[in-house]
Amino acid sequence: MRHRKSGVKLNRTSSHRKAMFRNMVTSLFKHDRIKTTDAKAKELRKHADKMITLAKRGDLHARRQALAFIREKDVVHKLFNDVADKFSSRDGGYTRITKLGPRSGDAAPMSMIELIFDEA
């Protein structure tokens, strides 16, 4: 049974998964959109939404929690100053996943995950 087991394994060890999602969240906030597989994009949404919620909170403890997860200090600065202001009136749903065609090598379904700035 799979009761109470959240998250997907993606055929990786836990340390590899954690490092991969830390890198992906950093890239997402740095470039505002990234291209990845469907399964990774769906799991990445959880981590990205949590970081935006921390940024909206805006206190020192939230900033330190974000610094513990996101790899680059300037990305955390951008997150807390720019992104938090744009999402201040939004109560969730900060990312959008757009389906793309299959990847050429292994035919994995690809997606574009991006931050939603236009709607509020």
Side-chain angles (χ1 to χ4, degrees):
M1 282 185 270
R2 198 180 181 285
H3 299 171
R4 296 179 59 117
K5 300 206 180 327
S6 64
V8 293
K9 289 189 176 182
L10 296 171
N11 205 15
R12 288 165 171 79
T13 62
S14 60
S15 59
H16 185 182
R17 234 181 0 260
K18 183 177 178 183
M20 180 182 65
F21 284 121
R22 288 178 67 184
N23 288 330
M24 289 175 77
V25 165
T26 303
S27 295
L28 178 65
F29 290 125
K30 191 175 195 177
H31 303 292
D32 294 333
R33 72 172 60 170
I34 57 173
K35 189 167 99 171
T36 184
T37 62
D38 284 351
K40 288 178 194 170
K42 288 177 184 177
E43 188 66 22
L44 178 63
R45 180 188 299 175
K46 297 175 188 176
H47 299 290
D49 286 354
K50 182 173 180 181
M51 291 300 118
I52 293 173
T53 303
L54 287 175
K56 283 173 60 175
R57 213 170 73 199
D59 58 349
L60 180 62
H61 183 59
R63 185 176 290 263
R64 287 182 175 164
Q65 283 178 317
L67 277 168
F69 192 81
I70 295 176
R71 301 274 182 179
E72 298 177 19
K73 194 180 239 185
D74 57 340
V75 174
V76 174
H77 183 72
K78 176 185 173 186
L79 174 68
F80 273 72
N81 291 340
D82 302 336
V83 177
D85 294 338
K86 292 178 183 174
F87 289 123
S88 61
S89 63
R90 194 176 187 97
D91 291 334
Y94 309 116
T95 56
R96 174 186 298 135
I97 297 176
T98 307
K99 304 276 186 182
L100 302 174
R103 189 163 46 188
S104 61
D106 60 356
M110 298 297 288
S111 290
M112 176 84 65
I113 182 167
E114 58 189 343
L115 298 174
I116 302 172
F117 289 125
D118 50 357
E119 305 164 27

